[in-house]
Amino acid sequence: MDEHVITTEWINAPDEIGYHDYVTGTFNSFSCTCGQPLPDRRAAIRHAAASGRCQMCLGSGQISINPHDRGGCDGCGGSGKGDPGTVMVQARVSERFVKEVAALLPGEFGLTDVVAVLNERMPPPDGGPPAMLSVAAGLIRYLEVQGMVVLCTAPDYPPAAGEEQRYDDPRWIRVA
């Protein structure tokens, strides 16, 4: 028998819950057969990762996004297995934080500049992975929507199979 079976139990959940409540486990309790305390979803995800379990379904192979619905996990294909040592990181940032990061960027910048600023302002916990390009791209997109930056150069070609794209392209400039 597997010594790490993590179970999720719904507690006093309303019929409709928000995505944030699901992700944080607001209406859930978590437990593992090994007896390790799992006070919240974040602790359950870390424990699942450490024991080679899928971090989406916590090793059950099933995902329940509300108290009345359950389906197979797309992350692991229902196997419950995951890559040991890989941890999903969910960061919450405020609008103030985003503006501070934007102010630290040079007048013209690329993805690697944003990654460098993010790693300075939000160092990874416990020697974890540094900020990823996808996080930087999301932050840039937010800044574009807010009218704080605009695209000033773009790659000459879209990436395709077998072609390498330089990540210092495209470049943005601050306008606010």
Side-chain angles (χ1 to χ4, degrees), residues 134-149:
S134 60
V135 174
L139 188 128
I140 291 170
R141 182 66 188 129
Y142 177 82
L143 294 174
E144 284 180 318
V145 169
Q146 296 300 313
M148 299 174 78
V149 301

Side-chain angles (χ1 to χ4, degrees), residues 31-167:
S31 60
C32 182
T33 54
C34 73
Q36 179 171 333
L38 302 172
D40 56 19
R41 184 165 182 83
R42 185 174 293 141
I45 288 171
R46 280 193 306 266
H47 186 63
S51 56
R53 297 296 200 167
C54 173
Q55 296 167 50
M56 290 176 68
C57 65
L58 304 176
S60 70
Q62 297 282 312
I63 290 185
S64 176
I65 59 172
N66 69 52
H68 310 292
D69 188 24
R70 180 174 291 280
C73 177
D74 291 335
C76 65
S79 71
K81 293 183 169 61
D83 295 327
T86 304
V87 179
M88 279 193 292
V89 177
Q90 179 186 12
R92 283 193 181 170
V93 295
S94 65
E95 186 175 348
R96 182 173 149 240
F97 175 83
V98 172
K99 287 181 179 181
E100 288 172 5
V101 168
L104 293 171
L105 293 170
E108 182 180 319
F109 62 91
L111 284 169
T112 54
D113 299 313
V114 178
V115 169
V117 170
L118 286 172
N119 284 331
E120 287 175 14
R121 298 279 298 149
M122 196 168 54
D126 303 327
M132 295 177 285
L133 291 172
S134 60
V135 174
L139 188 128
I140 291 170
R141 182 66 188 129
Y142 177 82
L143 294 174
E144 284 180 318
V145 169
Q146 296 300 313
M148 299 174 78
V149 301
V150 294
L151 183 66
C152 68
T153 66
D156 293 332
Y157 57 89
E163 292 182 22
E164 184 178 321
Q165 179 170 354
R166 296 188 342 240
Y167 285 108

